[in-house]
Amino acid sequence: MVAVPAALAPVVYGLLNIASATGIVFANKSVFSIFNFHFTYALTLIHTLTTWVGMQGFLRLKMFEPKHVKRRQLLPLAAAYVAYIVLCNLNLNINPVGFYQITKIAVAPAVLAIDYLYYGRKASPRVTASVLVVCLGVGMATITDPQISSNLAGLTAGFGSVGATALYQIWAGSKQKELGLGSMQLLHQYVPLAAMLLGVLVPLCEPMGWSSREPGTILGYTFTPGSVVAIAISSVLGLLVNLSTFLVIGATSSLTYNVVGHIKTVLILTGGVIFFGDTMPPKKMAGIAAAMSGIIWYSQIKLAEARQSAAAKLLPQAVSLNAVANGGSSNGLAFSKNSSSSSLAAEKMLLIHRETSAGVLKPAAS
């Protein structure tokens, strides 16, 4: 792997993440709407196989240490991954790009609701208020969009993907902690299982055209150089999203990464209007602005809570140091440095939970 100078790493990795994460949305949408390859399960299988091969390359480059887990422990997680990623791709297949991105924003409120309903974990009043702003914005953007409000199938796929993604986030995060795996280690372990599941589902759920290779079936689809290139680009971009997410979290601050995330949202919404004809009436724009304001507020609150949690965990250590050194002034400096380091670590763990545990370096549908 080409070494990037430390001073340039945040910029290079940030740009790579922006380009790959926005590019894959446009590439997937092109595959579906321009080249009429509407086979969601099949495209997901191609992406997953590409990620599997790519993970072997990352392993050979020693980007992570392999850690083996019994397959039966990961099979339910692989099944949950398949459900969520297929629904996300179906959402992009039948809905405008703008609505697809709005449903991505809606995942945070869904996670909060599931946490409360199933696990009894209550959010702070400030977090609840920020999530209500997100919900208000998402509702406004959806109701005022004539492309969506009358499309029952699109609404079902969109909000179904929200629920599936939220459940998967919570489950993947807890499984990662339970097994003591890093995000890339976990992805390396369950992607082969996901590929095998998709290999079974494709002939069951897609129109294969076994008896007659008619248009609208996989065997009857006419592959052109353009469609092959588009599918290949979307697959490679899925792998680059995985890689750049891993790199950018390690090279940037929490503030920088949040800015990168918001830039991606703006670019995807803008690209939907420019390249795919999404409508953007004033009421819909106001709803999107409200939803983005709420998610920015939510992100900042969660980062502040992570810092406070890290400081609270470090306090007993600081008290112990002070007791040993009989109040030496150097201990205050040591505590300050450790606190700063722990806060940064806490921020990055939050980002990893949101970006990697959330999709566990999710391929293809980012």
Side-chain angles (χ1 to χ4, degrees):
M1 185 175 177
V2 178
V4 177
L8 296 178
V11 175
V12 173
Y13 297 155
L15 290 175
L16 178 62
N17 187 251
I18 291 172
S20 57
T22 55
I24 191 173
V25 174
F26 301 145
N28 282 354
K29 189 63 177 176
S30 298
V31 169
F32 291 136
S33 63
I34 296 177
F35 296 101
N36 296 314
F37 189 85
H38 295 293
F39 311 110
T40 306
Y41 287 88
L43 185 64
T44 305
L45 174 59
I46 294 169
H47 287 171
T48 305
L49 289 172
T50 304
T51 299
W52 188 1
V53 173
M55 292 305 297
Q56 302 308 310
F58 296 157
L59 181 60
R60 290 182 180 277
L61 290 171
K62 298 183 178 180
M63 295 186 63
F64 63 94
E65 294 293 329
K67 188 173 181 181
H68 299 287
V69 178
K70 292 180 180 178
R71 297 299 186 190
R72 66 172 178 270
Q73 291 181 279
L74 293 174
L75 186 59
L77 182 62
Y81 160 79
V82 169
Y84 118 80
I85 205 75
V86 166
L87 278 170
C88 283
N89 281 336
L90 180 63
N91 180 16
L92 184 59
N93 187 357
I94 66 178
N95 286 318
V97 172
F99 181 71
Y100 168 82
Q101 194 61 26
I102 289 169
T103 58
K104 289 289 187 181
I105 297 173
V107 170
V111 169
L112 216 65
I114 293 171
D115 263 345
Y116 176 71
L117 292 173
Y118 288 93
Y119 299 99
R121 294 194 286 258
K122 294 183 179 180
S124 67
R126 291 179 67 211
V127 169
T128 303
S130 68
V131 166
L132 288 175
V133 173
V134 174
C135 292
L136 177 65
V138 170
M140 185 186 302
T142 302
I143 293 171
T144 58
D145 186 353
Q147 293 177 290
I148 293 299
S149 57
S150 59
N151 183 359
L152 181 59
L155 287 170
T156 302
F159 288 108
S161 72
V162 171
T165 303
L167 284 168
Y168 180 74
Q169 283 190 14
I170 294 170
W171 196 1
S174 62
K175 182 63 71 172
Q176 187 173 340
K177 185 182 296 184
E178 173 193 328
L179 298 174
L181 298 175
S183 55
M184 295 192 83
Q185 290 173 323
L186 186 59
L187 182 64
H188 177 252
Q189 287 293 300
Y190 80 77
V191 159
L193 294 175
M196 286 187 283
L197 287 172
L198 284 163
V200 173
L201 290 172
V202 166
L204 292 176
C205 301
E206 299 279 29
M208 293 299 299
W210 296 117
S211 57
S212 59
R213 300 185 178 186
E214 299 176 351
T217 64
I218 291 180
L219 295 179
Y221 179 81
T222 303
F223 286 94
T224 63
S227 64
V228 171
V229 169
I231 292 171
I233 289 174
S234 71
S235 300
V236 172
L237 285 173
L239 186 61
L240 288 178
V241 170
N242 298 336
L243 176 62
S244 63
T245 298
F246 176 76
L247 294 174
V248 78
I249 286 174
T252 65
S253 67
S254 58
L255 176 60
T256 302
Y257 195 80
N258 273 282
V259 170
V260 167
H262 304 321
I263 290 172
K264 288 187 288 188
T265 297
V266 172
L267 288 175
I268 290 171
L269 291 170
T270 304
V273 174
I274 295 173
F275 301 124
F276 299 101
D278 287 9
T279 59
M280 192 60 70
K283 290 182 179 179
K284 179 181 176 181
M285 188 178 296
I288 291 173
M292 286 192 64
S293 299
I295 206 67
I296 291 170
W297 186 19
Y298 171 85
S299 298
Q300 295 308 309
I301 293 170
K302 296 302 288 183
L303 287 172
E305 289 181 352
R307 293 190 194 102
Q308 291 173 358
S309 176
K313 290 179 180 178
L314 195 62
L315 185 58
Q317 179 185 348
V319 171
S320 177
L321 286 171
N322 285 330
V324 170
N326 295 319
S329 59
S330 62
N331 295 324
L333 179 60
F335 172 67
S336 176
K337 288 180 178 177
N338 288 336
S339 179
S340 174
S341 174
S342 295
S343 295
L344 181 59
E347 292 173 6
K348 289 188 175 181
M349 284 305 296
L350 177 64
L351 295 174
I352 290 170
H353 174 71
R354 189 184 69 187
E355 285 294 323
T356 58
S357 292
V360 190
L361 290 175
K362 46 194 175 188
S366 301

